[in-house]
Amino acid sequence: MKKTVKRISFIFGSVLLICSSLGFGSFNSSSHQISSNVVYAAKKKTHLNSNKSIEKYLKKQNKSLKILEVNGVYVENGNYTTQIVLDAKDNGMNNAKNQVVMAIKALNKKSLKEFSNISISVKADMDDGNKGYVIKSDWNPDFIESKKAKTIRLKTVNKQAETWWQLNN
């Protein structure tokens, strides 16, 4: 009888441990039932369908990205457009290009099937004390989602963009 009680206790404890580790809610000890409040362990999928969601996603993916603003139109599925403006401060053209590279690599991890165009621009401190554009680029979402985007480098970033403009040094 003692062995049976020990086995039942062991099984019951194991089930509770497994349920709690999988996030199936809390155990109600007074009624010996699992709560109906189910907590899902799966990650919440965030859709990039607003300026705020894109900015939040990019900041989460790479804390080195210095985002000045995100402006987009998210009305028609499959035809979203957005412009991401990054800040290179006064650290030169390589830093400006690196901001673009980091943004591309961060976006590569997300589905962009709803987008028709993504613009990435970089501003930097100018001699007159104002911020001005040093890079303006347009990107095809299919390229950003591709394997090539994972290996994009400073030397080739301008060749991979659909359009690329940069301030002459």
Side-chain angles (χ1 to χ4, degrees):
M1 177 75 169
K2 284 185 178 182
K3 286 183 179 181
T4 305
V5 170
K6 283 184 180 179
R7 285 183 185 159
I8 291 172
S9 296
F10 176 77
I11 292 170
F12 186 70
S14 298
V15 169
L16 287 177
L17 184 61
I18 291 169
C19 287
S20 66
S21 69
L22 292 176
F24 286 120
S26 60
F27 182 76
N28 183 346
S29 61
S30 62
S31 65
H32 301 293
Q33 294 177 358
I34 294 177
S35 165
S36 63
N37 297 331
V38 177
V39 179
Y40 293 98
K43 286 186 177 182
K44 181 180 175 185
K45 286 188 175 184
T46 54
H47 295 284
L48 300 180
N49 57 6
S50 69
N51 295 337
K52 188 176 181 178
S53 67
I54 292 172
E55 184 172 352
K56 184 177 176 180
Y57 174 77
L58 287 172
K59 284 181 180 179
K60 184 177 178 182
Q61 290 300 310
N62 191 328
K63 297 193 185 329
S64 297
L65 276 172
K66 294 167 182 57
I67 302 165
L68 291 175
E69 61 185 297
V70 177
N71 296 307
V73 177
Y74 314 96
V75 179
E76 185 182 336
N77 285 346
N79 203 23
Y80 293 172
T81 60
T82 191
Q83 179 183 20
I84 301 164
V85 182
L86 305 169
D87 188 5
K89 304 231 181 252
D90 59 355
N91 296 328
M93 190 55 71
N94 277 346
N95 187 48
K97 286 182 178 181
N98 194 43
Q99 288 287 309
V100 175
V101 169
M102 289 187 297
I104 295 295
K105 288 183 178 183
L107 290 169
N108 176 263
K109 300 174 184 176
K110 203 70 170 158
S111 171
L112 302 172
K113 67 180 179 185
E114 298 299 334
F115 287 84
S116 60
N117 185 51
I118 296 173
S119 295
I120 300 174
S121 301
V122 183
K123 287 185 173 182
D125 298 334
M126 298 291 160
D127 293 337
D128 63 2
N130 294 318
K131 284 205 178 291
Y133 286 102
V134 293
I135 293 176
K136 293 182 181 181
S137 63
D138 290 308
W139 295 87
N140 183 326
D142 291 335
F143 171 78
I144 295 174
E145 289 182 312
S146 74
K147 289 182 182 181
K148 278 186 171 183
K150 290 180 184 180
T151 59
I152 196 166
R153 303 279 186 251
L154 285 179
K155 291 180 180 179
T156 61
V157 65
N158 57 330
K159 295 173 185 155
Q160 301 297 329
E162 285 190 336
T163 64
W164 184 273
W165 171 88
Q166 78 181 41
L167 185 67
N168 291 330
N169 295 13

